[in-house]
Amino acid sequence: MVHQQTEEKMKPARGKRFVKVVKNARTGRLRKVSYGQPGRARKGGDRIKPGTKKGDAYCARSAGINRKFPKTARDPNSPNNLSRRKWKCKGTKSSRGGK
């Protein structure tokens, strides 16, 4: 996390769940990146469940986004890549273990 104190103060954009503050290397400016579906799953559980069929389906969909938009695929701080990291995607599959 580049600026943890700043990140704690910032709220995600409306309709998003997470926020990450990113510093531009050339200009030094901070940028807020909001991503993720808000809310909880049924019965109050977490919506993100890596290593499940739902996770595999999400990873396959988001891999298609990366193929369609190569510029976004190269940016590690794009909302799609940040979400793929939360789902622990490796290609089109979601793994239960580490990253």
Side-chain angles (χ1 to χ4, degrees):
M1 307 288 168
V2 175
H3 295 273
Q4 196 169 7
Q5 291 177 340
T6 309
E7 199 165 317
E8 289 170 0
K9 293 177 187 175
M10 288 200 167
K11 287 175 60 176
R14 187 165 185 218
K16 297 297 174 185
R17 183 171 175 193
F18 303 107
V19 67
K20 181 173 183 180
V21 178
V22 181
K23 185 176 184 179
N24 186 325
R26 280 189 291 165
T27 63
R29 289 189 177 187
L30 296 179
R31 172 172 76 107
K32 180 177 89 168
V33 180
S34 297
Y35 63 99
Q37 185 179 6
R40 304 300 254 165
R42 284 190 190 158
K43 300 179 184 173
D46 192 11
R47 211 176 269 289
I48 299 173
K49 294 180 181 156
T52 60
K53 284 184 181 180
K54 181 186 268 192
D56 289 345
Y58 173 77
C59 292
R61 264 196 325 274
S62 62
I65 293 171
N66 276 349
R67 279 193 298 273
K68 190 173 181 181
F69 302 104
K71 185 178 177 186
T72 302
R74 288 190 301 268
D75 179 10
N77 293 314
S78 70
N80 189 45
N81 284 335
L82 291 170
S83 290
R84 285 178 60 81
R85 205 171 301 142
K86 288 263 186 200
W87 280 94
K88 298 180 180 149
C89 293
K90 294 284 184 189
T92 59
K93 295 289 183 183
S94 174
S95 64
R96 190 175 290 278
K99 278 189 176 179

